[in-house]
Amino acid sequence: RTAIPAINRVKNLYRSCINETRIAERGLKPLENFLKELGGWPMLENTYDPTKFNMMDLLVKLRLYSNLVLISCSVTTDDKNSEKRIIAFDQPSLAMPGRDYYLKGRNDRMLKAYEQLAIDVAKFMGGDDAQVKQQVSDMIEFEIKLANITTPEEERRDSESMYNKM
């Protein structure tokens, strides 16, 4: 053990990742608990009630764990005044690395592989076959629409044109 808490946390995380016995004992329970904390996953719930869905609540909870949300938000240094901090809003990161994967069409092999992975995971977690396929298809369509309204990386390199302070 070391006196540096961050190093101890990294060591504990590493040990937890290689403890295959404990991982097998816990099974899907940690993931199920996490999904329940977020409000559930409709692909797994036959009793999902969309009228009880609260988008703002979900976005706040997701932001604690990831930047994969509909609007990226962070506190950063002002590009034109390094003595000031600003709140920066930006387009979301997409689940697949790069918007081009989404723009090649539904028959692109990478997009199809991503879609199949999502189906396999949801079915492994207990989702109904027909329901899962339709919902994953809807999810992919939504992500394609998001990709189509995001700015390509090559157009984001000019910091002057990206600076839109309000």
Side-chain angles (χ1 to χ4, degrees):
R1 290 202 64 69
T2 176
I4 303 171
I7 291 176
N8 288 330
R9 285 192 295 273
V10 169
K11 286 180 178 180
N12 289 337
L13 177 62
Y14 175 76
R15 283 189 209 104
S16 74
C17 290
I18 63 169
N19 187 346
E20 293 178 16
T21 304
R22 181 75 174 124
I23 292 169
E25 285 172 4
R26 296 179 76 194
L28 294 175
K29 199 68 180 155
L31 179 56
E32 290 167 349
N33 291 341
F34 177 67
L35 291 172
K36 201 173 289 178
E37 180 185 329
L38 294 177
W41 190 16
M43 287 189 217
L44 305 180
E45 299 173 21
N46 293 328
T47 59
Y48 176 72
D49 182 359
T51 63
K52 294 181 180 173
F53 177 73
N54 183 323
M55 176 66 93
M56 187 59 69
D57 187 44
L58 176 63
L59 290 176
V60 168
K61 288 177 183 176
L62 282 175
R63 188 65 178 108
L64 295 172
Y65 300 102
S66 172
N67 202 27
L68 288 173
V69 291
L70 294 176
I71 300 170
S72 173
C73 177
S74 62
V75 176
T76 187
T77 304
D78 186 332
D79 286 343
K80 294 192 176 184
N81 183 351
S82 62
E83 294 179 6
K84 299 215 177 206
R85 306 289 282 170
I86 59 172
I87 298 173
F89 295 95
D90 201 354
Q91 67 188 28
S93 298
L94 300 168
M96 290 180 66
R99 69 191 286 276
D100 292 343
Y101 287 112
Y102 296 98
L103 305 181
K104 292 178 182 175
R106 288 297 298 235
N107 290 322
D108 178 66
R109 70 180 186 85
M110 294 299 285
L111 191 59
K112 287 178 99 159
Y114 169 59
E115 185 171 13
Q116 189 60 53
L117 174 65
I119 290 169
D120 292 346
V121 169
K123 285 171 45 178
F124 177 76
M125 299 268 316
D128 174 71
D129 190 48
Q131 180 178 333
V132 163
K133 284 182 179 175
Q134 182 57 54
Q135 290 190 8
V136 169
S137 179
D138 293 346
M139 176 189 81
I140 298 292
E141 288 301 321
F142 178 71
E143 291 181 49
I144 289 170
K145 287 177 183 175
L146 275 180
N148 275 293
I149 62 171
T150 59
T151 305
E153 283 302 313
E154 58 272 12
E155 293 178 27
R156 297 173 52 80
R157 293 187 183 125
D158 179 3
S159 60
E160 190 66 32
S161 70
M162 293 295 294
Y163 187 85
N164 299 301
K165 190 171 178 181
M166 294 179 221

